[in-house]
């Protein structure tokens, strides 16, 4: 009698992340994923209650992978500037990190936008705590810095994704260093955020 190999939750998450990148969210169904993995659908449902549960855990898996990728990004800039450089290159620089892919995959989940925003802030404050930029800032100034950097990085990211801009890491680093240095001159109340 042949011994069956158990498929772990981690095996499924790794395969699912590759499957999504290769075939897109529209084909992300239990049978297609099982076929891609060379297994029956039974191991999927042994590890996950249903496909929505797999999607939810896959979102967390993506976020952890992105955190690790950002953690391992070492350059001459401060951790917060490195994060903004990575975020600006986000749609082009990471195969699982396209905004459209995440929206399509998790469109049935009402709180996906909230999870994405929370993830962004969590990353921001993690990196800010490792940077000297926050040493002399009060809570309102830290919030201002977060808004200014995220707004800037999102805009640059959109320009880079559309091909309108092609900026090097050094150009991005110089820009974000400037945003950090000039942050106190920006009045958050006037931004109405």
């Amino acid at each position: 009698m042949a011994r069956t190999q158990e498929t772990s939750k981690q095996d499924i998450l790794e395969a699912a992340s590759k499957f999504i990148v290769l075939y897109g969210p529209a084909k992300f169904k239990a049978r297609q994923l099982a076929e891609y993995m060379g297994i029956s659908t039974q191991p999927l449902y042994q590890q996950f209650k249903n496909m929505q549960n797999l999607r939810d855990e896959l979102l967390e898996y993506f976020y952890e992978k992105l955190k690790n990728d950002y953690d391992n990004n070492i350059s001459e800039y401060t951790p917060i500037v490195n994060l903004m450089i990575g975020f600006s290159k986000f749609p082009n620089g990471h195969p699982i990190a396209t905004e459209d892919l995440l929206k399509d995959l998790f469109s049935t989940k009402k709180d996906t936008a909230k999870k994405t925003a929370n993830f962004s802030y969590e990353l921001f404050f993690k990196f800010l705590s490792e940077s000297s930029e926050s040493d002399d800032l009060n809570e309102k100034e830290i919030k201002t810095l977060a808004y200014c950097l995220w707004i800037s990085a999102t805009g640059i990211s959109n320009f880079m994704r559309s091909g309108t801009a092609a900026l090097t890491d050094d150009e991005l680093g110089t820009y974000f260093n400037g945003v950090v240095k000039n942050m106190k001159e920006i009045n958050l109340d006037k931004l109405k955020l």
Side-chain angles (χ1 to χ4, degrees), residues 66-131:
L66 288 170
K67 277 185 198 176
N68 292 335
D69 289 352
Y70 283 132
D71 278 342
N72 295 324
N73 179 20
I74 299 169
S75 80
E76 63 201 65
Y77 299 105
T78 63
I80 199 68
V81 171
N82 282 337
L83 176 64
M84 292 301 102
I85 291 169
F87 187 79
S88 296
K89 295 169 21 178
F90 187 71
N92 300 318
H94 204 292
I96 65 167
T98 65
E99 187 178 329
D100 294 338
L101 180 92
L102 293 176
K103 278 182 187 172
D104 288 347
L105 179 59
F106 302 104
S107 62
T108 59
K109 191 75 172 147
K110 292 179 183 176
D111 63 347
T112 301
K114 187 175 181 179
K115 279 186 179 183
T116 304
N118 288 342
F119 168 71
S120 298
Y121 280 110
E122 180 186 320
L123 264 184
F124 177 83
F125 287 110
K126 175 191 179 305
F127 279 78
L128 186 62
S129 70
E130 297 171 4
S131 296

Side-chain angles (χ1 to χ4, degrees), residues 81 149 172-184 186:
V81 171
L149 286 172
L172 291 167
T174 299
Y175 174 76
F176 288 117
N177 273 329
V179 172
V180 170
K181 287 179 183 164
N182 294 311
M183 176 277 312
K184 289 186 179 183
I186 299 169

Side-chain angles (χ1 to χ4, degrees), residues 20 59 88 109 148:
I20 291 281
L59 182 62
S88 296
K109 191 75 172 147
C148 292

Side-chain angles (χ1 to χ4, degrees), residues 16-164:
S17 70
K18 291 174 186 171
F19 179 90
I20 291 281
V21 171
L22 288 172
Y23 302 108
K27 293 190 177 185
F28 191 65
K29 309 274 190 257
R31 287 184 196 266
Q32 286 85 347
L33 177 60
E35 185 178 306
Y36 172 77
M37 294 180 67
I39 60 173
S40 70
T41 58
Q42 183 182 14
L44 299 178
Y45 292 112
Q46 286 175 334
Q47 298 294 341
F48 301 94
K49 289 184 275 188
N50 52 42
M51 286 303 285
Q52 186 58 50
N53 178 236
L54 173 55
R55 284 183 180 89
D56 291 344
E57 291 205 31
L58 188 56
L59 182 62
E60 296 302 320
Y61 175 83
F62 283 169
Y63 286 168
E64 280 304 312
K65 184 162 177 43
L66 288 170
K67 277 185 198 176
N68 292 335
D69 289 352
Y70 283 132
D71 278 342
N72 295 324
N73 179 20
I74 299 169
S75 80
E76 63 201 65
Y77 299 105
T78 63
I80 199 68
V81 171
N82 282 337
L83 176 64
M84 292 301 102
I85 291 169
F87 187 79
S88 296
K89 295 169 21 178
F90 187 71
N92 300 318
H94 204 292
I96 65 167
T98 65
E99 187 178 329
D100 294 338
L101 180 92
L102 293 176
K103 278 182 187 172
D104 288 347
L105 179 59
F106 302 104
S107 62
T108 59
K109 191 75 172 147
K110 292 179 183 176
D111 63 347
T112 301
K114 187 175 181 179
K115 279 186 179 183
T116 304
N118 288 342
F119 168 71
S120 298
Y121 280 110
E122 180 186 320
L123 264 184
F124 177 83
F125 287 110
K126 175 191 179 305
F127 279 78
L128 186 62
S129 70
E130 297 171 4
S131 296
S132 59
E133 285 98 336
S134 65
D135 291 348
D136 61 344
L137 300 179
N138 63 40
E139 189 176 328
K140 184 177 179 182
E141 290 170 332
I142 289 172
K143 189 176 180 182
T144 301
L145 178 60
Y147 279 128
C148 292
L149 286 172
W150 284 116
I151 289 168
S152 297
T154 301
I156 289 171
S157 176
N158 287 333
F159 278 120
M160 291 180 71
R161 181 172 25 182
S162 70
T164 305

